[in-house]
Amino acid sequence: MKRVVWAVLVLATTAACGTPVAGRPVAGRVVTPGSDAEVVRWMDNFCGVANYLSASGGFTLGTPPTDPAEAKKSLSSSLGRVVDVLNVAVHDLDELTPAPVAAADPAVEVILEPLSKARDKFVLAKSTVDEAPELTLEVFGTVNQHLTEAVTMMNDGVEQVSLVSLPDDFREAAGQAENCGK
């Protein structure tokens, strides 16, 4: 059962990640509509969040410790790292609205909602581990359920990314945005 939980957690940490790309997240609230520079900055921040998720999802858990107390601590720590990554991504995505042109806001919302829900499930999984006196089969079952739901939600978010349609001026601005991989 421990191997199943570890395997699901490894899957969960890489579910929203494609090939890691260079860049860094630099999100900031963009509220002044109109200028091309604002659109380029917004696209740079939008791509920065995606790059952050890709770069952050590449860690592995390794072999779980055989000592139950150490295994609990290790699992909690790993879940905490996933929660931290998703907290940053959700925050940075939220900072992208309102976009310089309102037609870009749905692109953020369609990604933000499933990532927020996935983060909440990872938080539940971590609190289940942290609140349990020891890691029992029942605890593993509950954690596994939360992780399965979180991975499903993250996969939904990844699928939504391919459906996102940004206005033409935003797509053109991506070519000028450093984080979008000129």
Side-chain angles (χ1 to χ4, degrees), residues 33-95:
S35 78
D36 291 340
E38 290 294 324
V39 173
V40 170
R41 187 175 72 179
W42 188 94
M43 280 304 300
D44 193 50
N45 293 339
F46 185 77
C47 292
V49 174
N51 295 345
Y52 173 73
L53 283 170
S54 292
S56 299
F59 64 87
T60 59
L61 297 173
T63 306
T66 55
D67 175 53
E70 285 300 313
K72 178 181 174 185
K73 182 178 175 184
S74 178
L75 180 56
S76 176
S77 177
S78 295
L79 289 168
R81 285 192 304 271
V82 173
V83 169
D84 290 345
V85 165
L86 291 174
N87 277 338
V88 169
V90 165
H91 171 269
D92 289 355
L93 283 168
D94 192 48
E95 289 292 310

Side-chain angles (χ1 to χ4, degrees), residues 74-146:
S74 178
L75 180 56
S76 176
S77 177
S78 295
L79 289 168
R81 285 192 304 271
V82 173
V83 169
D84 290 345
V85 165
L86 291 174
N87 277 338
V88 169
V90 165
H91 171 269
D92 289 355
L93 283 168
D94 192 48
E95 289 292 310
L96 290 173
T97 56
V101 176
D105 287 340
V108 173
E109 293 162 7
V110 75
I111 299 165
L112 183 59
E113 182 180 348
L115 282 182
S116 295
K117 289 179 179 179
R119 185 231 9 234
D120 294 346
K121 287 296 181 177
F122 279 112
V123 167
L124 283 173
K126 182 177 180 341
S127 66
T128 299
V129 169
D130 292 345
E131 293 169 4
E134 60 183 21
L135 296 180
T136 63
L137 286 177
E138 183 180 329
V139 170
F140 275 121
T142 302
V143 169
N144 189 36
Q145 180 64 35
H146 292 311

